[in-house]
Amino acid sequence: TFLGSLGPYEVVRRTGPIRPLWGLKPLDGRPWPLDLRAWREGGAPYRRRRGLLAVGVAAPVLALIVVLVAAAAYPGFDNATQFLSELGGATAQAPIIFNAGVFAAGVMAGLAGIGFGLALYALSGARIAGVVTAVVFVLAGAGLSLSTLYPWPDPRHMIINLGLGIQLAPVLLFWGLSRRRDLPRLKVFLLVTFVLMAVLTLFTKHLVFPGTVNPDNVGWWERAYAVVLVCWVGIAAWVLERKLRETIEDAAQTPMPSGLAEESR
């Protein structure tokens, strides 16, 4: 039902002559406008959006630092055979390092998701894609944060699987940016990231080549999956933050649209 509704909508909104028949405004070719309030108040447009995206850049860095410090505080930790969650589990000497760090990273992921959603709306007017992207990130961040309240091997720790929904985020961002023609490399990066995560999922879930992932190397497979799952967020957030900044700079060099100028007066 969802896809059956979304498909026609995506076709209609891109077809100028039939947009009014579906209650949509005609296409006029103008770029998506900056926030009128920012123009009126003379403030910094997209300041909050850019701040949230900056959080998205910082989140993977924090996650990496936390893992490295927690592993250093866990004598004898075996990266090949042990899961990352064990850094905050019952056998760790200082589980608070991992648990507190991942809790903070989860909160940051949720905030970054809101930033992604608002950035999609600002850059392309993609309301639905923006909302869905934000929801996916918020759920993923909630899963990460809540899992630290139930350290491994508590069965409730598996709420962390909510974080796996972030696998859909690259495709959602690609969808939201489909109107833009000035971000081709980001779009390719998002698709490659999605495909890579899908391939790693097939291997780690033993859906292809059973036995490739085994108890002797499962830790390395998890590390590879975690790097792909987390690091792309920082890169995408950095690119979109730069694009918002460029949009502001370009707008500052052009006259304010007459309609906005009249309202500002």
Side-chain angles (χ1 to χ4, degrees):
T1 301
F2 175 74
L3 293 177
S5 302
L6 179 62
Y9 167 75
E10 288 296 318
V11 172
V12 168
R13 76 186 184 92
R14 289 173 168 79
T15 309
I18 64 175
R19 282 174 61 92
L21 300 178
W22 290 67
L24 299 176
K25 294 180 180 179
L27 294 173
D28 56 12
R30 291 182 298 177
W32 198 255
L34 285 173
D35 185 4
L36 177 60
R37 184 185 302 173
W39 279 110
R40 182 181 297 145
E41 297 176 355
Y46 305 148
R47 181 181 59 187
R48 294 184 181 87
R49 291 172 171 84
R50 293 175 59 198
L52 291 170
L53 290 174
V55 173
V57 175
V61 177
L62 172 63
L64 175 62
I65 293 174
V66 166
V67 169
L68 293 177
V69 174
Y74 190 138
F77 183 75
D78 189 344
N79 282 291
T81 62
Q82 291 184 269
F83 294 101
L84 290 174
S85 292
E86 295 182 55
L87 292 171
T91 58
Q93 292 189 4
I96 187 62
I97 297 175
F98 182 81
N99 291 329
V102 172
F103 184 92
V107 173
M108 294 171 71
L111 293 174
I114 297 173
F116 277 121
L118 292 174
L120 289 179
Y121 180 69
L123 293 172
S124 61
R127 293 182 178 88
I128 297 177
V131 170
V132 177
T133 300
V135 169
V136 166
F137 269 94
V138 169
L139 288 176
L144 284 174
S145 296
L146 292 175
S147 70
T148 64
L149 303 180
Y150 310 106
W152 181 262
D154 189 320
R156 291 173 293 180
H157 181 77
M158 298 312 295
I159 196 174
I160 196 173
N161 285 332
L162 278 176
L164 298 181
I166 206 172
Q167 293 177 106
L168 300 175
V171 174
L172 294 173
L173 283 173
F174 181 90
W175 169 36
L177 295 170
S178 58
R179 292 184 182 182
R180 306 285 303 203
R181 298 292 181 266
D182 53 348
L183 293 167
R185 289 184 292 181
L186 176 60
K187 292 179 181 179
V188 171
F189 171 74
L190 292 173
L191 291 180
V192 170
T193 298
F194 175 75
V195 171
L196 187 55
M197 285 194 290
V199 170
L200 287 171
T201 299
L202 292 176
F203 275 95
T204 54
K205 298 299 182 182
H206 308 287
L207 299 177
V208 296
F209 302 113
T212 302
V213 180
N214 55 66
D216 294 328
N217 62 23
V218 64
W220 292 121
W221 281 95
E222 186 199 33
R223 305 305 184 274
Y225 187 82
V227 168
V228 177
L229 189 70
V230 172
C231 289
W232 77 269
V233 175
I235 297 172
W238 178 70
V239 173
L240 291 182
E241 192 280 331
R242 288 185 59 191
K243 179 55 62 176
L244 286 177
R245 188 191 317 163
E246 292 174 6
T247 301
I248 297 169
E249 293 172 352
D250 291 343
Q253 297 173 3
T254 58
M256 185 185 298
S258 58
L260 296 181
E262 290 297 327
E263 290 192 40
S264 296
R265 296 192 188 99

